[in-house]
Amino acid sequence: MDELDRILSEEHAIAPPAGFSRRVMAAVHREASTPAPIPFPWRYAVATFAAMAVALVACLFLSPLLPTWTLDGGAALQRALSRIDPNLLAVCSTVAFAAVALLRYSLRFVFF
Amino acid sequence: MADDEDLDAVRAVLTGDVSAFQRIVERWQGPLVNLAYRFCRDRGQAADMAQEAFLRIFRALPSFRAKSSFSTWMISVAANVYRSQLRRNLPELTGLEALADFPGLSEALVETAGSREELVRRTVQALPAKYRDAVVLFYFHEMNVNRASESLGVPPGTLKARLHRARALLARRLRHLFNSDTVPTEA
């Protein structure tokens, strides 16, 4: 055993400070009483993405089979939307989103 | 025997008895505070680091799979906590290699550190992280390569290579303190 081994092996042990275990246990109890974080809903997310992918593929493959009147209807809708003032459209969509969010929030009080 | 007691405490904690964790804290507070001190060389900081390590161990208990002994697993978790905390607070003595190039300065460094032994330990602290971790854990485990490599999460061969390199670096940085035949020279 050389000099370096001797020095590094002879480290003097230090004692934990007074009340150390009490402090640790207090922190552990705090940790235990904190509710666990809500995990990301991977199951629902994967199901949603899968459904979107299926819908996209279905649209791509089935769109040539659609009757022509649906395409005409789409074009008509697009023309109608283009006539609406974009600012008004933005305000309307914001109000609609806010209404949906409010509705969803208020459902909590109905079901819980 | 001690490991059985630890496993009993772990099982109790996992079934909801949080107070059972106190048995683990009381049994392991000494080693964990001392390991933290070997990493940071500051008593106050060592206690804070050990407390954080115990919290991390408590959080990680559900992932303990008993593939290795509880003590090995726990020290491995604690070592990871200490290493990541030291990455945030870089050691102060990073310029020792440059300082050691001036002959006659070693006496001044010894005086600053308090003793030759303390200077060696501080020089270990100033090594690049992977060599410092290898040296700290190797001597913490009383020079047991297998246990040190398990704690560090590397194969024993890797640990040996890092130890060899660390000792060569130490020899170069401390060459004014030691005779060349007591410390291995760099390969």
Side-chain angles (χ1 to χ4, degrees), chain A residues 68-83:
Chain A
T68 51
W69 64 264
T70 56
L71 297 176
D72 294 343
L77 180 65
Q78 201 169 9
R79 275 198 302 276
L81 284 174
S82 68
R83 277 199 294 272

Side-chain angles (χ1 to χ4, degrees), chain B residues 3 17 73 178:
Chain B
D3 223 46
D17 180 10
W73 175 81
F178 297 100

Side-chain angles (χ1 to χ4, degrees), chain A residues 1 13 18 22 25 31 36 41 61 67 72 76 97 104 107:
Chain A
M1 188 155 79
R22 191 166 33 82
M25 284 313 293
E31 174 82 18
F61 282 96
D72 294 343
F97 274 119
R104 196 184 180 293
L107 286 178

Side-chain angles (χ1 to χ4, degrees), chain A residues 1-11 13-14 16-17 20-21 23-25 27-29 31-32, chain B residues 18 22 25 29 34 37-38 41 43 47 50-51 54 58-59 116-117 120-121 139 143 167 178 182:
Chain A
M1 188 155 79
D2 66 22
E3 183 72 354
L4 200 59
D5 281 337
R6 186 191 65 74
I7 292 173
L8 293 173
S9 302
E10 284 178 359
E11 180 84 58
I14 61 165
F20 176 77
S21 68
R23 266 207 325 270
V24 172
M25 284 313 293
V28 165
H29 280 292
E31 174 82 18
Chain B
V18 177
Q22 182 145 13
V25 175
Q29 57 180 339
N34 275 283
Y37 182 71
R38 284 173 185 243
R41 309 220 64 79
R43 284 166 188 260
Q51 177 169 333
F54 274 119
F58 175 75
R59 281 187 214 124
R116 201 168 74 129
E117 284 75 9
V120 172
R121 289 173 192 134
Y139 288 101
M143 298 197 277
R167 289 160 72 85
F178 297 100
T182 57

